[in-house]
Amino acid sequence: MTTYLIGNWKMQLGEPDSEALAKDVVRLWAAQGVGKDGTAVVICPSHMAIEEVAKVVKGTPVALGSQDAFWDDKGAFTGEVSPKTLKELGCEYCIIGHSERRQHLGETDEMVNRKAVALLRNGITPIICVGETMEERRAGKRDAVVIGQVRGALAGVKPVGTQKIIIAYEPRWVIGTGQAVSPSDAAEMHHLILTALNELFPAEVVDRQCAIIYGGAVDAKNLAGFLEVPVIHGVLVGGASLKPQEFVAMAEIIADVRKRP
Ligand code: PGA
């Protein structure tokens, strides 16, 4: 089972800074001779920087992801980004349904679903973000909201061949706060999501083709706690992914934890 370290750079960097950060991550991670098997390090720059970052990561152990994609490959969709073009540029992963897009751009489960289908069709692994707001949590709706988002995103989806699906549980009220939920809180949600996946797909598909990762204020200090939980298959990192030393230190922590018997 692969353990994922996925950096979401959001709209924090321009093109030259993205290129420089990608170079740092590649240099630092490539310098690590061991432990790369089973640790997937993915960086997701803004669309504006994808092409330059793609050149930097090509042929290295660092993979490229996008922060969004449209649900059609081509057509009259002003301002949108084609999943087919992303694939041509070397994208292997794509975040969809991030809470910032749900909040500011009205991204719905139906849109996320269409995007997931388009990405899988193009050979890109969707990283589907789900998570409740503080109000929903306080109202006792946490589980229903998250399960609804998982089911909505995956309606009619059937991963075939080597297609993979990553679900990122990101409690919305935690993102960017520097204060993550406890690993046991995340574990509870991961078990819930796993149950939902097992209702949607055959057990061997869930086992081999689905991963559930945690996101929300993860850094090099709290990462190990999450990795102790067997149902947590990695992390989606915002703020800490902009610091190359810390981000690569996190990749090393993952590789170390994986080496333990
Ligand atoms: P954060 O962001 O690590 O800065 O909380 C995570 C995310 O938005 O994916």
Side-chain angles (χ1 to χ4, degrees):
M1 169 61 80
T2 303
T3 306
Y4 295 91
L5 175 66
I6 303 173
N8 174 9
W9 295 356
K10 309 195 178 187
M11 203 180 69
Q12 302 287 14
L13 304 173
E15 193 262 294
D17 286 343
S18 301
E19 194 183 340
L21 177 55
K23 280 184 179 156
D24 282 344
V25 170
V26 165
R27 179 175 49 78
L28 292 166
W29 182 229
Q32 298 299 318
V34 288
K36 293 210 184 67
D37 292 347
T39 307
V41 176
V42 183
I43 51 178
C44 304
S46 74
H47 285 143
M48 299 302 287
I50 280 234
E51 203 170 346
E52 287 312 310
V53 171
K55 288 181 199 153
V56 176
V57 301
K58 195 166 182 211
T60 77
V62 177
L64 182 65
S66 166
Q67 296 176 17
D68 185 43
F70 193 59
W71 54 72
D72 262 330
D73 292 355
K74 141 179 213 248
F77 304 109
T78 303
E80 285 300 335
V81 173
S82 157
K84 186 162 181 274
T85 307
L86 289 172
K87 182 69 182 182
E88 285 163 3
L89 289 171
C91 268
E92 293 175 60
Y93 299 86
C94 180
I95 299 168
I96 49 175
H98 191 279
S99 62
E100 285 148 15
R101 296 193 60 84
R102 291 182 193 259
Q103 182 186 345
H104 302 298
L105 292 144
E107 191 144 316
T108 63
D109 290 335
E110 198 212 330
M111 291 156 81
V112 176
N113 178 241
R114 295 178 76 181
K115 292 177 180 195
V117 171
L119 291 168
L120 289 168
R121 188 179 64 233
N122 279 287
I124 299 176
T125 298
I127 303 161
I128 301 168
C129 298
V130 297
E132 80 287 358
T133 62
M134 184 43 109
E135 293 68 42
E136 289 162 341
R137 179 174 271 237
R138 284 209 182 106
K141 294 185 188 151
R142 178 192 69 174
D143 297 4
V145 165
V146 170
I147 293 307
Q149 288 171 343
V150 172
R151 289 197 187 128
L154 295 175
V157 171
K158 284 190 182 48
V160 292
T162 55
Q163 288 178 341
K164 294 217 162 50
I165 291 172
I166 300 175
I167 305 285
Y169 170 61
E170 297 205 305
R172 285 162 78 157
W173 48 279
V174 164
I175 291 172
T177 61
Q179 189 60 55
V181 298
S182 69
S184 61
D185 195 326
E188 205 181 307
M189 294 312 291
H190 281 237
H191 280 291
L192 198 76
I193 293 167
L194 187 60
T195 306
L197 291 177
N198 275 309
E199 282 161 14
L200 290 167
F201 306 134
E204 65 273 15
V205 169
V206 176
D207 256 16
R208 281 194 227 126
Q209 289 165 258
C210 298
I212 311 170
I213 65 174
Y214 169 76
V218 184
D219 57 26
K221 284 194 226 78
N222 60 23
L223 171 65
F226 292 106
L227 299 175
E228 302 289 335
V229 182
V231 283
I232 298 184
H233 305 136
V235 286
L236 178 56
V237 186
S241 71
L242 299 171
K243 303 173 199 151
Q245 274 84 4
E246 176 161 10
F247 189 64
V248 173
M250 292 169 85
E252 287 167 37
I253 292 168
I254 290 176
D256 280 351
V257 169
R258 285 186 57 88
K259 269 189 269 162
R260 283 188 209 154

